[in-house]
């Protein structure tokens, strides 16, 4: 049995914005770091795809902006389901972390006087979103990549981590294991501290803006290790994704389009957002997504199932300079957005649920830390645009500091060998000429989630989803995974669908528990928000226990 083994102080799973920041900080704290990624290092995370901007209070455009306003906007946007301590960390630290990005070489747009430029984003009372045109995440990853290389951090691409490893007493995490995508050989990592920064799970849905690797593997690994999962029902649908052609369906159309003054228009020629919210196009994402959904459902959508997003009324220079990526993105499919509208519809975008962490980014499992979209708490029931990129840097930084401290006070310990053997046996057991194609099962998961657990939900649909997911879980025991070893996509897909079903079932369970509508979670059978009974987060774990955490301005 081929097993390749590596040893490090800090193991970081995920190479997007949070993972890279964590690795940089841990390395600067004299720790030996390995960053491992299921896809290509630096390129397979969602940070690279993020377009709109990074929220930080500088007051360079709106002098009235303040830390207090950013905190309040974040809490209002999250329907007060946020962890207040984490919100404070996000808001207080995000300006410092942006300045660090500039020290890595990132270039953000500036005003004529040389100060950072800032644009308007939905749900925010001031213009506080810093940006690089509509390529902000890409610019951040360029700088983070350079700093990772300067620090000499080791990176491993195309290794799918499948299991976190405990010590022999099962009291703490001492590493992780998985398989190489190149030849399906097993890889074991020994570490003093482990950080999950593997992102979200947009590919639970057939229409998503996420990178193709985002199937929630890291979240499920933590769940299997005993980590608490929180706010699992909260899945954000970005209001504006591409509709056509089919190959581009779901590809993100940045909120910067609306931030720069774009108008949403139905097929009656009506700018309809005023009917739903006085903030119009700059309402929070949950409201805009539901408004577009309603327009389409009530027959005011396009033939291909969208509405129009227009910037034709804006100066051409503004569109060309501030929305350059959007111009090119639509030019590639034969649409000139300077002279004709885009067609848009909601797309699965960000997961507010995930691993529950404390202020040190540590889970309830010793030596297991997490940062970025794999975690829960900071965004509550709905994330504000611009807070995700800040999240990666603020909590990537904290995870880097705290995992380093843990590594400095911890000795390397051997994992429980029986766990390694059990995981090898599990994966080898998937190699079979079974009945069901893993890719077909994956598509069935997406359709179940889209039909029953998407923008609008009800108890009947959620219960149906539960039954259908249980049936799919049985199919995973009889999958057809051919026996060739090199670049075995069927094996990777089979491992993904096992995790995806677990994650989908947790989302459904939590959605059934929340008998109200709050943020991204909209129950048509319980359409009102109910603070008296449901101003609380639901926490689930693998033992089947359900607990709650009271929320509001004075949460614990």
């Amino acid at each position: 049995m081929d097993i390749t083994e590596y040893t490090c102080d800090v193991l970081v799973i995920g190479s997007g914005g949070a993972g890279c920041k964590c690795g940089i900080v841990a390395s600067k704290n004299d720790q030996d770091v390995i960053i491992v990624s299921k896809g290509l290092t630096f390129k397979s995370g969602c940070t690279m795809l993020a377009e709109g901007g990074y929220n930080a209070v500088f007051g360079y455009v709106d002098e009235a902006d303040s830390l207090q306003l950013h905190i309040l906007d974040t809490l209002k946007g999250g329907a007060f389901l946020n962890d207040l301590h984490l919100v404070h960390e996000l808001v207080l630290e995000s300006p410092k972390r942006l300045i660090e990005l500039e020290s890595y070489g990132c270039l953000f747009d500036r005003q004529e006087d040389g100060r950072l430029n800032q644009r308007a984003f939905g749900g925010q009372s001031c213009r506080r979103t810093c940006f690089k045109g509509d390529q902000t995440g890409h610019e951040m990853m360029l700088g983070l990549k350079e700093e990772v290389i300067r620090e000499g951090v080791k990176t491993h691409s195309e290794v799918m981590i499948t299991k976190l490893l405990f010590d022999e007493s099962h009291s703490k995490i001492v590493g992780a294991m998985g398989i190489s995508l190149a030849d399906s050989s097993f890889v074991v990592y020994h570490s003093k501290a482990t950080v999950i920064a593997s992102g979200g799970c947009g590919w639970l849905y057939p229409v998503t803006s996420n990178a193709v690797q985002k199937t929630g593997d890291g979240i499920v690994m933590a769940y299997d290790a005993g980590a608490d999962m929180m706010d699992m029902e909260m899945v954000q649908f970005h209001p504006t994704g591409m509709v056509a052609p089919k190959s581009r369906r779901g590809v993100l159309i940045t909120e910067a389009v609306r931030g720069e003054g774009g108008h949403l228009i139905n097929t009656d020629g009506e700018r309809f957002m005023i009917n739903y919210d006085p903030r119009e196009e700059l309402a929070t994402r949950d409201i805009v997504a539901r408004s577009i959904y309603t327009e389409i459902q009530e027959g005011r959508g396009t033939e291909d199932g969208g509405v129009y997003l227009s910037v034709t009324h804006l100066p051409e220079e503004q569109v060309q300079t501030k929305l350059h990526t959007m111009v090119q993105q639509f030019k590639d499919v034969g649409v000139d957005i300077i002279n004709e509208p885009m067609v848009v519809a909601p797309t699965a975008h960000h997961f507010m649920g995930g691993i529950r962490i404390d202020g040190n980014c540590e889970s309830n499992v010793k030596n297991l830390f997490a940062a970025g979209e794999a975690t829960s708490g900071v965004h509550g029931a709905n994330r504000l645009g611009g807070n995700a990129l800040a999240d990666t840097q603020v909590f990537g930084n904290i995870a880097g500091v705290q995992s380093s401290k843990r590594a400095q006070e911890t000795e390397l310990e051997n994992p429980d060998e029986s766990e390694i053997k059990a995981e090898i046996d599990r994966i080898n057991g998937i190699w079979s000429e079974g009945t069901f194609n893993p890719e077909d099962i994956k598509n069935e998961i997406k359709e179940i989630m889209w039909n029953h657990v998407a923008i609008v939900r009800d108890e009947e649909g959620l219960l149906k989803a539960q039954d259908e997911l249980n049936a799919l879980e049985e199919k995973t025991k009889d999958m057809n995974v051919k026996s060739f070893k090199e670049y075995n996509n069927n094996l990777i897909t089979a491992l993904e669908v096992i995790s995806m079903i677990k994650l989908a079932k947790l989302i459904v369970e939590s959605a059934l528990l929340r008998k109200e509508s709050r943020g991204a979670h909209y129950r048509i059978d319980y359409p009102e928000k109910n603070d008296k009974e449901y101003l609380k987060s639901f926490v689930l774990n693998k033992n089947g226990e359900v607990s709650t955490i009271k929320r509001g301005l004075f949460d614990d």
Side-chain angles (χ1 to χ4, degrees):
M1 184 70 61
D2 290 335
I3 301 178
T4 305
E5 299 190 58
Y6 299 94
T7 298
C8 60
D9 297 319
V10 177
L11 174 66
V12 182
I13 302 170
S15 65
C20 286
K21 181 63 176 180
C22 177
I24 290 165
V25 171
S27 179
K28 290 181 184 293
N29 286 344
D30 298 322
Q31 298 304 294
D32 183 32
V33 181
I34 295 176
I35 297 176
V36 59
S37 179
K38 183 169 71 169
L40 296 175
T41 305
F42 311 120
K43 294 182 178 181
S44 58
C46 287
T47 306
M48 179 64 81
L49 304 177
E51 296 162 340
Y54 177 119
N55 290 342
V57 175
F58 289 109
Y60 291 152
V61 175
D62 286 348
E63 294 182 1
D65 199 10
S66 67
L67 298 173
Q68 290 82 0
L69 278 175
H70 190 184
I71 290 169
L72 186 57
D73 288 344
T74 300
L75 292 172
K76 284 181 178 177
F80 293 94
L81 207 65
N82 321 63
D83 180 315
L84 187 56
H85 176 73
L86 298 183
V87 173
H88 280 148
E89 288 294 325
L90 174 76
V91 171
L92 293 172
E93 295 296 315
S94 64
K96 302 173 191 175
R97 304 289 82 84
L98 186 137
I99 291 168
E100 285 178 352
L101 284 169
E102 291 197 311
S103 76
Y104 300 163
C106 298
L107 299 173
F108 293 92
D109 282 14
R110 294 184 176 269
Q111 302 173 71
E112 289 186 4
D113 62 7
R115 297 183 301 169
L116 285 164
N117 203 353
Q118 296 179 282
R119 62 170 39 131
F121 253 39
Q124 300 185 58
S125 53
C126 294
R127 289 174 289 177
R128 68 167 65 96
T129 305
C130 305
F131 60 95
K132 170 65 173 176
D134 54 1
Q135 299 176 320
T136 312
H138 181 266
E139 182 67 21
M140 285 173 57
M141 286 307 304
L142 291 179
L144 289 163
K145 175 183 177 180
E146 291 301 317
E147 195 68 12
V148 165
I149 293 169
R150 274 192 290 267
E151 281 295 317
V153 175
K154 293 186 281 292
T155 60
H156 293 182
S157 291
E158 297 188 314
V159 175
M160 181 180 184
I161 300 298
T162 61
K163 185 177 180 62
L164 298 167
L165 297 174
F166 280 95
D167 63 340
E168 292 180 354
S169 67
H170 278 235
S171 63
K172 55 184 172 295
I173 298 298
V174 295
M177 68 176 292
I179 59 171
S180 165
L181 273 64
D183 59 11
S184 301
S185 62
F186 292 99
V187 185
V188 172
Y189 293 91
H190 304 271
S191 62
K192 299 175 181 178
T194 299
V195 183
I196 293 179
S198 54
C201 55
W203 281 99
L204 284 176
Y205 296 87
V207 181
T208 181
S209 64
N210 283 196
V212 294
Q213 293 82 8
K214 299 307 160 190
T215 53
D217 314 331
I219 299 169
V220 174
M221 268 190 293
Y223 171 77
D224 286 340
D228 287 339
M229 301 288 112
M230 188 169 74
D231 294 335
M232 298 297 283
E233 70 276 25
M234 298 301 176
V235 182
Q236 181 179 81
F237 286 79
H238 195 289
T240 54
M242 292 181 74
V243 172
K246 190 175 180 181
S247 62
R248 300 287 185 96
R249 188 177 175 216
V251 171
L252 186 66
I253 298 169
T254 173
E255 189 167 321
V257 175
R258 288 176 285 126
E260 292 294 332
H263 293 169
L264 286 165
I265 301 167
N266 61 26
T267 52
D268 292 340
E270 177 189 17
R271 188 179 166 194
F272 58 83
M273 276 307 303
I274 191 62
N275 300 327
Y276 299 94
D277 194 285
R279 295 170 294 184
E280 299 181 296
E281 283 85 2
L282 291 180
T284 53
R285 288 176 174 178
D286 55 330
I287 293 171
V288 181
R290 280 198 299 276
S291 302
I292 293 172
Y293 173 86
T294 301
E295 292 294 308
I296 296 167
Q297 291 297 110
E298 294 183 357
R300 294 183 293 277
T302 63
E303 289 184 2
D304 46 5
V307 297
Y308 298 116
L309 175 59
S310 178
V311 293
T312 58
H313 58 286
L314 297 178
E316 180 175 346
E317 183 183 0
Q318 180 183 356
V319 176
Q320 290 283 12
T321 57
K322 299 294 181 64
L323 302 171
H324 176 74
T325 301
M326 295 298 100
V327 172
Q328 189 61 50
Q329 186 171 305
F330 278 89
K331 184 179 179 182
D332 289 346
V333 297
V335 177
D336 174 13
I337 70 169
I338 292 169
N339 295 303
E340 55 187 313
M342 299 162 261
V343 179
V344 303
T347 180
H349 185 57
H350 189 92
F351 190 40
M352 281 78 67
I355 304 164
R356 185 189 174 200
I357 55 170
D358 62 16
N360 293 326
C361 285
E362 189 167 13
S363 73
N364 58 301
V365 180
K366 189 172 182 183
N367 291 356
L368 178 62
F369 299 80
E373 194 179 350
T375 70
S376 183
V378 67
H379 304 299
N382 176 58
R383 176 178 66 79
L384 291 186
N387 271 357
L389 290 182
D391 175 355
T392 68
Q393 298 309 288
V394 170
F395 294 102
N397 181 75
I398 293 172
V401 170
Q402 297 302 326
S403 62
S404 298
K405 288 181 179 177
R406 181 60 51 81
Q408 288 165 359
E409 62 192 30
T410 302
E411 296 294 327
L412 274 172
E413 291 190 43
N414 290 324
D416 183 343
E417 290 293 332
S418 67
E419 284 203 324
I420 295 176
K421 182 180 183 305
E423 183 66 357
I424 290 172
D425 290 345
R426 180 181 81 91
I427 293 173
N428 282 337
I430 296 173
W431 296 102
S432 66
E433 296 282 349
T435 305
F436 301 105
N437 186 325
E439 192 64 40
D440 290 342
I441 297 176
K442 193 173 191 176
N443 289 332
E444 287 185 70
I445 296 168
K446 295 176 189 177
E447 289 306 314
I448 291 168
M449 296 299 285
W450 189 255
N451 291 335
H452 305 303
V453 202
I455 298 171
V456 174
R457 307 163 176 181
D458 61 26
E459 184 162 347
E460 181 182 356
L462 292 169
L463 290 172
K464 188 172 183 180
Q466 210 167 45
D467 290 340
E468 292 177 355
L469 289 167
N470 286 335
L472 278 188
E473 199 163 35
E474 289 301 309
K475 285 187 178 182
T476 64
K477 299 172 184 176
D478 186 23
M479 288 187 286
N480 182 14
V481 180
K482 295 180 181 179
S483 58
F484 60 88
K485 294 281 187 177
E486 293 185 0
Y487 293 101
N488 192 336
N489 289 333
N490 266 0
L491 175 62
I492 302 307
T493 303
L495 290 166
E496 286 178 339
V497 299
I498 291 169
S499 293
M500 289 169 72
I501 290 172
K502 282 185 182 180
L503 189 55
K505 288 173 69 174
L506 288 170
I507 292 170
V508 171
E509 180 182 353
S510 205
L512 282 165
L513 288 169
R514 186 171 294 282
K515 297 181 189 297
E516 65 155 357
S517 292
R518 182 180 298 272
H521 172 73
Y522 186 79
R523 289 277 300 259
I524 199 167
D525 47 349
Y526 295 98
E528 301 300 324
K529 187 167 64 173
N530 182 351
D531 285 342
K532 184 176 180 180
E533 294 184 66
Y534 289 102
L535 189 53
K536 59 188 178 184
S537 291
F538 289 101
V539 179
L540 313 178
N541 63 37
K542 71 172 185 177
N543 298 323
E545 299 166 354
V546 178
S547 58
T548 60
I549 301 172
K550 187 178 178 182
R551 294 300 188 198
L553 288 175
F554 306 102
D555 59 331
D556 294 334

